[in-house]
Structures are given as C-alpha cells and as structure tokens.
Amino acid sequence: AILSLMEATSAVSLVVLSRDQYKLVENFLEGKEVYKVDADEVLKDAKLNFVKGIVEKYSGCSGEASSRLAQSIVREFSDNYAVVAVLAADWLAKGECRVEEVVNAIRQSEKKVEDFVLSYMWFGLLGDS
C-alpha cells in the first residue's frame, strides 16, 4: 500500500541557486522537469534597495554616495553582490564617503568577485595606489 501511494504522488522541491551554482549542476538537470525563476527579475528594485541598505549600514554614508555605489554593484554583480556590498561599504567608509575609487574598482573587476576582493585588500585595506 505504501509503495502504491509513493508511486501515485510526486515530490516537489524548491532549490535556490546562484547563477554560478546553477551552471555547475545544469547538465545533471537535463531531461528533468525544472522551472527556473530569475531572482533578479522577481526582485528588481528590492535588490537595489537591499544593496543600498547594506552600503548605508556598513559605511555610514548616505545620499548620492550610497545610491551610486549600490547601482554600480547591482549592475556589475548578479551573484555575490552582498559580499561585494559589505566590502565596498567598508572601503567607502575608510575613504570618507568618496565613491569614485570604489566604483572604478567595481567596474575594473569585470563582474569577478575575486578581482574585486583583491582590489579591496590592496587599495581599501592597505591604501596603496
């Protein structure tokens, strides 16, 4: 009776993956019934407001500086943007809310969080130019 009940029912799973994680398992999902939802499409302005909130909280900067930095982060990073936001906010705070250097580092990282982390360590922490 249990076996026939298991055969009659189907299981549904919800799995949340970043784009990088999805790329790793994409080939295993071939032939399976998978419904993908792009969180960026669903969240839209909420993502920008979330990142701006992180920047303001961790940097103490508000207004144009936090808005510009949040827009830059959201535009350049689809994954790991919260990590970038915290590090960028710390860098912004150390730079007394001067946003240009941080925005340039985000742009130069070419959407690679590892490159931004290296820039943060070199310029944001060590203050080297």
Side-chain angles (χ1 to χ4, degrees):
I2 293 176
L3 183 56
S4 61
L5 177 63
M6 289 175 56
E7 290 173 357
T9 61
S10 61
V12 175
S13 298
L14 172 65
V15 179
V16 179
L17 302 172
S18 69
R19 284 188 179 101
D20 292 340
Q21 293 168 330
Y22 182 77
K23 287 176 187 173
L24 293 173
V25 298
E26 187 173 25
N27 58 338
F28 295 108
L29 299 175
E30 288 180 14
K32 308 267 190 298
E33 192 172 347
V34 176
Y35 300 101
K36 290 180 9 182
V37 177
D38 188 341
D40 289 339
E41 286 297 314
V42 174
L43 295 176
K44 294 185 182 180
D45 292 337
K47 179 179 175 181
L48 180 60
N49 292 335
F50 173 69
V51 172
K52 186 177 179 211
I54 291 173
V55 169
E56 288 177 345
K57 178 73 174 172
Y58 284 88
S59 70
C61 304
S62 60
E64 179 65 27
S66 63
S67 292
R68 186 165 172 221
L69 186 55
Q71 289 169 354
S72 179
I73 292 167
V74 167
R75 183 176 50 252
E76 295 294 327
F77 293 94
S78 57
D79 293 325
N80 301 309
Y81 55 85
V83 172
V84 173
V86 170
L87 297 178
D90 183 60
W91 189 348
L92 187 63
K94 287 180 169 87
E96 299 173 353
C97 299
R98 290 186 305 274
V99 73
E100 196 62 41
E101 184 177 68
V102 186
V103 169
N104 285 338
I106 288 170
R107 190 177 314 112
Q108 291 174 359
S109 68
E110 298 178 350
K111 303 180 187 313
K112 296 178 195 156
V113 71
E114 301 86 1
D115 289 353
F116 179 75
V117 170
L118 291 173
S119 291
Y120 166 77
M121 290 169 40
W122 187 257
F123 301 105
L125 290 177
L126 301 176
D128 204 352
S129 61

